[in-house]
Short mmCIF file of all heavy atoms in Angstrom, two decimals:
data_model
loop_
_atom_site.label_atom_id
_atom_site.label_comp_id
_atom_site.label_asym_id
_atom_site.label_seq_id
_atom_site.Cartn_x
_atom_site.Cartn_y
_atom_site.Cartn_z
N VAL A 86 73.00 120.89 82.92
CA VAL A 86 72.69 120.77 84.36
C VAL A 86 72.96 119.35 84.84
O VAL A 86 73.48 119.13 85.94
CB VAL A 86 71.23 121.18 84.61
CG1 VAL A 86 70.85 120.93 86.08
CG2 VAL A 86 71.02 122.64 84.26
N LEU A 233 131.26 84.83 133.97
CA LEU A 233 131.44 85.06 135.41
C LEU A 233 131.93 83.80 136.11
O LEU A 233 132.77 83.87 137.02
CB LEU A 233 130.13 85.55 136.02
CG LEU A 233 129.72 86.99 135.69
CD1 LEU A 233 128.42 87.33 136.40
CD2 LEU A 233 130.81 87.98 136.09
N LEU A 238 136.56 81.45 138.81
CA LEU A 238 137.53 80.38 139.04
C LEU A 238 138.96 80.88 138.93
O LEU A 238 139.83 80.54 139.75
CB LEU A 238 137.28 79.24 138.04
CG LEU A 238 136.11 78.30 138.32
CD1 LEU A 238 135.98 77.29 137.19
CD2 LEU A 238 136.28 77.59 139.64
N VAL A 305 138.83 74.19 131.81
CA VAL A 305 139.99 73.43 132.32
C VAL A 305 141.06 74.38 132.81
O VAL A 305 141.65 74.21 133.90
CB VAL A 305 140.52 72.48 131.23
CG1 VAL A 305 141.86 71.89 131.66
CG2 VAL A 305 139.52 71.38 130.95
N LEU A 383 117.81 76.40 133.22
CA LEU A 383 117.18 75.20 132.66
C LEU A 383 116.07 75.55 131.67
O LEU A 383 115.91 74.88 130.65
CB LEU A 383 116.63 74.33 133.79
CG LEU A 383 117.68 73.64 134.66
CD1 LEU A 383 117.00 72.81 135.74
CD2 LEU A 383 118.58 72.76 133.82
#
Side-chain angles (χ1 to χ4, degrees):
V86 174
L233 287 181
L238 283 177
V305 170
L383 290 180

